Amino acid sequence: MSGSRESSAQAGTGGADDLVGIGFGPSNLALAIAIADHNRRDPGQALQTGFLEQQAAFGWHRGMLLEGATMQVSFLKDLVTMRDPSSPFSFLVYLQQRGRLADFINQKSFFPTRIEFHDYFEWCAAEFAADVAYGQRATEIRPVVVDGRVEAVDVVSRSTTDPADEQVRRTRNLAVGTGLTPRLPEGVELGDHVWHTRDLMFRAPALTDRPHRRFTVVGAGQSAAEAVDYLHRTFPDAEVCAVFSRYGYSPADDSPFANRIFDPDAVDHFFDAPEPVKQDLLDYHGNTNYSVVDGDLIEQLYRTVYQEKVQGRERLRILNTTRLTGVEQGPDGARAMIRSLTTGEEFALESDAVVLATGYRPVDPRPLLGELAAACLTDEQGRLRVDRDHRILTADHVDVGIYLQGGTEHTHGITSSLLSTLAVRSGEICDSLLLRRTARDLRTDFGRGAQVGAAAG
């Protein structure tokens, strides 16, 4: 974001970008690709965009890039294929350019490793290095009001390394893709020995002083099971305790009919459904994504537990039907307080680290939107109302489009925070931007024509 670019933007809304994306994870990366594909096809109608990302470089769940961990979605659900299989940003083109296309095919698998898919994301993101201001955190959204209408917004950002470095970029539309924030048990705070799984690969290798020879992992989902497996393999001298309220890990329902809940058409069905049906669908198909584990990993962990019983040294302990009630942090570890749900017994696990695989929650964009948040419409439950094109419904005087990349499960279904429909969603947002720009241009032309007619009269 150069100074000259900023100055021209401040001169009026005519110099505003078509879109500024806040956050540059997979969602806004997919949107950048969709817009780039459009601009290449129709340069005369190109959209001008820019993105802000607080990380110093592109990164997606780096703390869970565990060796051997595979994706839970097909490689065909990459950033483009479901929208346009001919896009030069497909996973297959990536493989070809990396010289691994034949090798990947010979694996006979639809599921690449998480490390490889992250490399694919980085390969795509490299094409947009000039369009992304890394190390910039959006701090404020200022409405630009012209004749009583919010025609644009100024996006204020500051450098993560130099708070005095403030930049402003004017835009007619926002794409909020700030991702998810960790969900923590009530009363529990993160610390040197209390981690969320998002930080597992950053924290665990650096933990050289381990007086307790024990890790406690809280949670029953895929991340929890992967953390248990990783810690058990990486620290052969340590006990790993898995704490969850269920009797055992539940397998994910990845059967073909159930997987149709992730199809693009399913978003239309969910959006048009009555509110009680929406909730029913979320309840029926929560086992496709939430608190469930890949079946192969469940069997692997069970075999480990059994073999350790045979050998008489049980390092992997499955503490089912239990709940974490608190964590006490100390200088050399953390004490996990556990309660049995069946007997009521309470006990403590002195641990070198307590790992919380307790999931994520979407980030509410309203604090960032500032005074513009008051113009965002909500439903009877206080949730943002979001149109089919992923745009927040706003008061009539707001012309700025605020698009949400996530946090729309209540309106668009279970895929809101997942990769499955990123490609299609990005195309829908790009189409919406083009339609709204055309409508704005028509209104401007009509207004000019009315002024000319009035003058002639």
Side-chain angles (χ1 to χ4, degrees):
M1 299 182 186
S2 65
S4 60
R5 180 79 174 269
E6 179 183 331
S7 299
S8 65
Q10 301 306 310
T13 58
D17 285 332
D18 292 296
L19 176 80
V20 166
I22 300 175
F24 199 66
S27 294
N28 271 342
L29 172 56
L31 179 56
I33 293 172
I35 292 172
D37 284 348
H38 159 75
N39 290 351
R40 186 177 60 255
R41 291 190 302 266
D42 191 357
Q45 296 295 319
L47 292 166
Q48 182 66 48
T49 64
F51 297 87
L52 302 170
E53 172 54 54
Q54 65 180 357
Q55 295 185 101
F58 181 88
W60 174 70
H61 294 306
R62 287 185 179 273
M64 283 298 287
L65 294 181
L66 306 177
E67 183 177 355
T70 59
M71 299 293 295
Q72 270 71 60
V73 296
S74 164
F75 72 87
L76 293 172
K77 292 184 176 181
D78 58 17
L79 298 176
V80 298
T81 298
M82 296 287 283
R83 172 180 58 83
D84 179 9
S86 67
S87 171
F89 291 94
S90 73
F91 183 73
L92 292 178
V93 173
Y94 153 80
L95 286 174
Q96 185 180 48
Q97 291 203 5
R98 287 286 197 254
R100 296 198 306 269
L101 181 56
D103 294 333
F104 182 84
I105 292 172
N106 289 336
Q107 286 190 126
K108 300 180 181 180
S109 173
F110 275 81
F111 305 102
T113 66
R114 202 173 295 154
I115 290 174
E116 183 174 33
F117 220 61
H118 189 276
D119 188 60
Y120 159 67
F121 286 156
E122 289 184 302
W123 174 79
C124 292
E127 293 294 317
F128 300 94
D131 302 317
V132 184
Y134 287 104
Q136 287 284 324
R137 179 182 292 110
T139 59
E140 186 181 1
I141 305 297
R142 300 171 182 165
V144 178
V145 182
V146 179
D147 295 331
R149 304 194 65 80
V150 180
E151 292 192 352
V153 292
D154 286 336
V155 181
V156 183
S157 65
R158 287 191 175 87
S159 168
T160 55
T161 57
D162 180 9
D165 177 12
E166 181 180 283
Q167 300 187 28
V168 181
R169 188 159 188 161
R170 184 161 292 183
T171 180
R172 296 184 183 277
N173 298 280
L174 293 169
V176 182
T178 49
L180 304 169
T181 188
R183 178 184 287 112
L184 305 178
E186 185 177 356
V188 177
E189 297 181 356
L190 300 178
D192 290 341
H193 299 275
V194 181
W195 316 330
H196 190 270
T197 45
R198 69 169 184 178
D199 298 319
L200 183 62
M201 292 298 292
F202 304 132
R203 295 284 200 165
L207 191 65
T208 56
D209 184 17
R210 296 182 289 105
H212 304 292
R213 298 292 190 268
R214 178 187 288 134
F215 293 93
T216 299
V217 180
V218 181
Q222 182 72 23
S223 294
E226 289 180 354
V228 166
D229 178 60
Y230 165 77
L231 292 169
H232 187 268
R233 288 186 289 105
T234 306
F235 300 96
D237 62 338
E239 179 181 272
V240 180
C241 298
V243 174
F244 49 82
S245 57
R246 299 185 178 196
Y247 207 81
Y249 293 114
S250 298
D253 184 355
D254 60 353
S255 58
F257 287 113
N259 272 342
R260 293 175 69 177
I261 195 68
F262 303 118
D263 290 353
D265 287 348
V267 178
D268 289 322
H269 301 154
F270 189 94
F271 186 84
D272 293 332
E275 189 59 36
V277 176
K278 284 184 168 71
Q279 189 57 54
D280 285 343
L281 289 172
L282 292 174
D283 293 340
Y284 292 152
H285 297 288
N287 64 344
T288 60
N289 182 62
Y290 299 117
S291 296
V292 289
V293 182
D294 177 75
D296 290 341
L297 181 54
I298 293 176
E299 293 184 7
Q300 177 186 321
L301 291 174
Y302 188 87
R303 284 194 297 269
T304 299
V305 170
Y306 181 76
Q307 289 302 323
E308 288 186 348
K309 285 185 177 181
V310 172
Q311 296 165 7
R313 182 172 179 252
E314 299 180 35
R315 287 198 304 115
L316 178 52
R317 296 176 57 196
I318 304 298
L319 305 180
N320 54 12
T321 64
T322 61
R323 178 167 295 157
L324 180 78
T325 59
V327 178
E328 299 174 4
Q329 302 195 47
D332 63 351
R335 177 182 295 129
M337 309 304 296
I338 311 297
R339 179 169 60 86
S340 169
L341 298 179
T342 55
T343 67
E345 176 192 1
E346 297 186 356
F347 56 95
L349 294 174
E350 299 290 349
S351 310
D352 297 304
V354 175
V355 182
L356 303 172
T358 46
Y360 296 85
R361 57 180 174 80
V363 178
D364 189 337
R366 283 172 283 193
L368 177 62
L369 294 176
E371 61 182 274
L372 195 58
C376 297
L377 305 184
T378 57
D379 62 16
E380 59 277 3
Q381 299 182 48
R383 303 172 301 187
L384 289 169
R385 293 177 57 193
V386 185
D387 212 345
R388 178 60 186 84
D389 62 357
H390 313 280
R391 179 176 47 86
I392 298 175
L393 293 172
T394 56
D396 290 340
H397 69 283
V398 177
D399 295 326
V400 173
I402 307 170
Y403 295 87
L404 293 185
Q405 296 270 35
T408 57
E409 188 173 274
H410 61 292
T411 55
H412 289 68
I414 204 168
T415 60
S416 170
S417 61
L418 307 178
L419 299 178
S420 294
T421 58
L422 280 193
V424 173
R425 184 170 77 198
S426 63
E428 292 169 345
I429 294 176
C430 181
D431 289 344
S432 177
L433 291 168
L434 293 167
L435 287 171
R436 286 170 58 79
R437 185 173 68 177
T438 298
R440 184 182 70 243
D441 291 345
L442 288 173
R443 288 195 302 270
T444 301
D445 292 342
F446 178 80
R448 288 172 180 167
Q451 290 177 354
V452 171

